[in-house]
């Protein structure tokens, strides 16, 4: 990944300083997803940051851990663990041996909590959740002490072990850190650090019925793994004093430092797991990997190359500035990669029959076409060409505007890689007036040669031989939302779902061979866009199913004017 060299941002500056001053001999980062949903484009930024910092400092022995922050049994699931592993691998990152689960530290968290109690720094609070909330105060008023705040350590220890043993109902008691009820930072007003949850955990089953809160567990997870720089998004900035308090007051093997950066927010996209889950559950999309979803699995199924996603997130930059990143930047990277790498194939999405009147019926020949115009190494392939062909309906105009260079009455056009053909007539459906077929003559000797004297030919169109064409289904995707900030739409993000985000096209004509490609095969359909054989519904040997990855040009730029 040397070409993706990163500019120095403020986080890389801090790490370089810490290595330079000898504060740390190496740097250890982590990516800590909660397995309660699929990864999305925002996570790609965080993954890229922590993993590439480790790669850049590999010479010092740097590493990046993948750690599942699975401390909440209610919403977590093995399905999510598996998908997260697959997605990060696909993005191109490797954690080696360093795969961890916070749930394997439950004993450690518990011991830390006991130590806090013994030191008089934590207490069991038996107020109701409402009372605790009320006692917290607000930004202008200090909190009020819980009546249980000054319980003796011995009593707290007994109550806490009762909680652990299952002798208390969910919500009947919590463990709170004893910090400062008058702190200007609400997170420091005796935060809850343990609660009772009687639910099975995906890893530890029914071994526990008390679970640590994120703000307590996370710094301990980092410390236990000797993370040096714990990189997270800005919403955790106000939690940093608590993070540091936990590290200072618990028995830890190392003191990690939390550094925050701004989240990635992409226009016309949502990056909240809760909202993405709602799209799936309410069936606005078919699944987490629906090709319209901003999830990594959705983008993979759509056909986005992982290198394009890496380029995109590497260029958004690491700052504390909150802004919206133009989704066109992501689309640009996708086009840029595919333009260089995707082989060309012929497909006609909206077919119109062309008959070459001077071509003998029942005969055909093979023409050789390039697989990639910019890359000789991609080679050529042979396409058969006979009397009947399919062309794109939009490539013939009965009443063409000026400067229309494709097929028109009395005009000529080149079949890509084949002959120049010249209009001789057409037929229409009497009722609708719709053109049903176009009659042309082919000009012998024009393959690979320029137009003969007196013939004006300024364009080349794609085509598929009718005899050998394969009927296919194509799914054309567009943005899922019509508003740049979907949450701001009337009715929220569901209020601006793009009703045209999926167009199903049946009866597409493909050149032969495409019915045999493996799911995930990517190519450019000449002059149309980039397409990918669908990983769910395309099966070699059956009717092909292709997803449009993206058009050749940015059609939204035009629409916006
Ligand atoms: P939710 O949106 O459900 O609160 P989350 O997106 O924060 O959850 P986590 O699994 O906790 O989900 O995220 C793992 C890591 O990814 C966190 O460190 C978080 O800071 C980072 N992350 C999440 N969303 C973004 C984003 N949009 N941009 C950059 N980093 C993100
Ligand atoms: Mg989170």
């Amino acid at each position: 990944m040397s070409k993706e060299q990163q500019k120095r941002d403020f986080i890389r500056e801090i790490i370089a300083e810490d290595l330079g001053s000898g504060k740390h001999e190496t740097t250890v980062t982590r990516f800590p997803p909660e397995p309660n949903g699929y990864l999305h484009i925002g996570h790609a930024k965080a993954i890229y940051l922590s993993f590439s910092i480790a790669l850049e400092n590999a010479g010092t022995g740097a590493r990046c851990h993948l750690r599942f922050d699975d401390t909440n049994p209610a919403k977590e699931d093995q399905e999510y663990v598996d998908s997260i592993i697959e997605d990060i691998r696909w993005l191109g990152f490797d954690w080696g041996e360093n795969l961890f689960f916070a749930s394997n530290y439950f004993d450690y968290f518990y011991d830390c909590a006991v130590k806090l109690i013994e030191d008089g720094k934590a207490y069991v609070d038996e107020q109701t959740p409402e009372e605790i909330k009320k006692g917290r105060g607000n930004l202008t008023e200090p909190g009020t002490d819980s009546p249980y705040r000054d319980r003796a350590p011995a009593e707290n220890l007994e109550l806490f072990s009762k909680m652990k043993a299952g002798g208390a109902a969910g919500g009947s008691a919590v463990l709170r850190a004893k910090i400062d009820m008058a702190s200007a930072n609400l997170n420091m007003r005796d935060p809850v650090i343990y609660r009772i949850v009687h639910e099975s955990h995906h890893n530890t089953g029914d071994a526990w019925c008390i679970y640590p809160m994120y703000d307590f567990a996370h710094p301990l997870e980092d410390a236990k793994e000797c993370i040096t720089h714990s990189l997270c998004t800005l919403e955790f900035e106000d939690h940093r004093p608590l993070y540091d308090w936990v590290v200072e007051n618990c028995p830890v093997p190392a003191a990690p430092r939390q550094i925050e950066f701004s989240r990635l927010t992409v226009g016309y996209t949502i990056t909240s797991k809760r909202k993405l889950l709602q799209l799936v559950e309410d069936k606005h999309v078919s699944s987490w990997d629906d090709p319209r979803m901003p999830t990594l699995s959705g983008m993979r199924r759509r056909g986005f190359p992982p290198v394009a996603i890496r380029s995109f997130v590497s260029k958004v930059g690491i700052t504390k500035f909150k802004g919206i990143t133009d989704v066109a930047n992501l689309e640009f990277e996708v086009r840029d990669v595919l333009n260089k790498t995707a082989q060309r194939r012929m497909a006609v999405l909206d077919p119109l029959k062309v008959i070459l009147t001077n071509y003998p019926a029942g005969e055909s020949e093979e023409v050789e076409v390039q697989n990639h115009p910019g890359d000789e190494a991609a080679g050529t392939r042979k396409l058969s060409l006979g009397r009947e062909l399919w062309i794109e309906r939009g490539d013939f105009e009965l009443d063409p505007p000026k400067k229309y260079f494709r097929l028109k009455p009395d005009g000529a056009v080149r079949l890509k890689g084949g002959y120049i053909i010249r209009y001789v007539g057409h037929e229409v459906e009497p009722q609708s007036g719709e053109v049903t077929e176009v009659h042309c003559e082919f000009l012998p000797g024009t393959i690979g040669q320029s137009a003969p004297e007196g013939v004006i030919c300024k364009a080349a169109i794609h085509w598929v031989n009718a005899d050998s064409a394969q009927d296919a289904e194509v799914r054309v995707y567009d943005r899922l939302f019509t508003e740049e900030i979907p949450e701001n739409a009337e009715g929220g993000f569901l209020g601006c779902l793009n009703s045209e985000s999926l167009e199903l096209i049946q009866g597409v004509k493909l050149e032969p061979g495409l019915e045999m490609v493996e799911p995930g095969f990517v190519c450019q359909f000449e002059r149309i866009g980039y397409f990918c054989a669908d990983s769910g519904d395309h099966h070699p040997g059956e009717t092909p199913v292709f997803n449009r990855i993206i058009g050749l040009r940015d059609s939204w730029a035009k629409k916006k004017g």
Side-chain angles (χ1 to χ4, degrees), residues 32-34 36 43 69 214 233 235-236 263 273:
E34 185 182 354
N36 63 352
H43 293 118
D69 202 336
Y214 178 90
T233 36
E235 68 269 24
F236 296 105
R263 294 174 75 85
K273 282 192 279 194

Side-chain angles (χ1 to χ4, degrees), residues 333-370:
E333 297 295 339
V334 171
R335 278 192 196 95
D336 192 48
V337 172
L338 294 178
N339 181 38
K340 290 176 197 132
T341 56
Q343 291 204 358
R344 278 39 171 177
R345 294 290 185 271
M346 304 263 212
V348 174
L349 264 50
D350 186 8
L352 172 64
K353 181 68 78 61
V354 167
I355 302 197
L356 303 181
T357 52
N358 59 341
Y359 203 98
E363 285 186 24
S364 68
E365 66 193 281
E366 283 189 326
V367 299
E368 195 161 358
V369 293
Q370 278 186 314

